[in-house]
Structure formats: C-alpha cells, structure tokens
Amino acid sequence: MNKLTPKQIKFATLIVSKGDRMSASDCAKEAGYSEKSARQIASQLQNRERYPKVYDYILMLREEQHKKYHVNYNRHMRRLKELSLSEMNLMNKGRII
C-alpha cells in the first residue's frame, strides 16, 4: 500500500484493532483528525469510491488478522452469542449467582 498518509494508516489500524471498542469517529480522532471533522472523515475513509487505497488497506489488515487469529467478525459474534446463551442457561439453573 503506497501513498497512504500516516493518519490514514493509523486510522485503518485502529478501525481493525479497536473498532469493536471504539467508534469510527473516535478512531479518526485518535489517528489525529480534528474533532470537528472526525465523524465525516471516518465515514469517508471507509468508502471504497472516495478512498480506495485506505479501504483496501483496511481489508488487507482484516485478512491478516483473520489469518493470524483465525477469527472474523461474524465468527466472533456467533461465539459471543453462544457464550451468552450458555451463561444464561446456567443462571436459570441456579449454577451462577
């Protein structure tokens, strides 16, 4: 990936690594974008037509994460649901207080 700015690289890294705990706007702010424009720029940076290189870089980072941890968003959410349902079942049976 060439021609990405340091802010764009940091935004992409944050969106992939902390996007489940931070909003896209917060990722933009932490990457160095102004508070006033963070919401708009966060949206634009994730738009394939406006910023195709940033979009592709985000996809590449997600793919690397998937290869490294064998996890993707859908699989992660499915597992969280399973764990939640399991805990609820144990609570209903009086095993967890």
Side-chain angles (χ1 to χ4, degrees):
M1 290 292 127
N2 57 5
K3 309 267 180 157
L4 293 180
T5 68
K7 285 182 185 180
Q8 290 170 336
I9 292 169
K10 187 166 184 180
F11 173 79
T13 303
L14 288 168
I15 229 28
V16 172
S17 66
K18 296 184 178 183
D20 60 335
R21 298 180 306 272
M22 291 175 70
S23 69
S25 298
D26 289 337
C27 290
K29 287 180 217 170
E30 191 168 320
Y33 292 97
S34 77
E35 189 133 354
K36 285 184 177 183
S37 66
R39 185 170 180 235
Q40 182 178 8
I41 195 69
S43 176
Q44 291 173 354
L45 289 172
Q46 296 177 85
N47 182 308
R48 175 176 250 162
E49 282 96 40
R50 293 206 60 162
Y51 289 93
K53 291 181 181 182
V54 176
Y55 183 89
D56 289 342
Y57 187 61
I58 290 170
L59 289 180
M60 185 194 74
L61 291 174
R62 285 189 174 138
E63 182 62 29
E64 285 177 359
Q65 187 179 53
H66 174 67
K67 286 179 184 176
K68 184 175 181 180
Y69 299 109
H70 304 288
V71 170
N72 64 30
Y73 180 78
N74 290 333
R75 181 188 239 179
H76 178 71
M77 294 307 292
R78 186 172 49 247
R79 181 66 179 137
L80 286 176
K81 182 179 178 184
E82 290 169 3
L83 290 171
S84 176
L85 292 173
S86 174
E87 184 175 329
M88 286 177 20
N89 286 336
L90 291 173
M91 287 175 65
N92 289 339
K93 293 178 182 178
R95 294 185 182 164
I96 294 179
I97 298 174

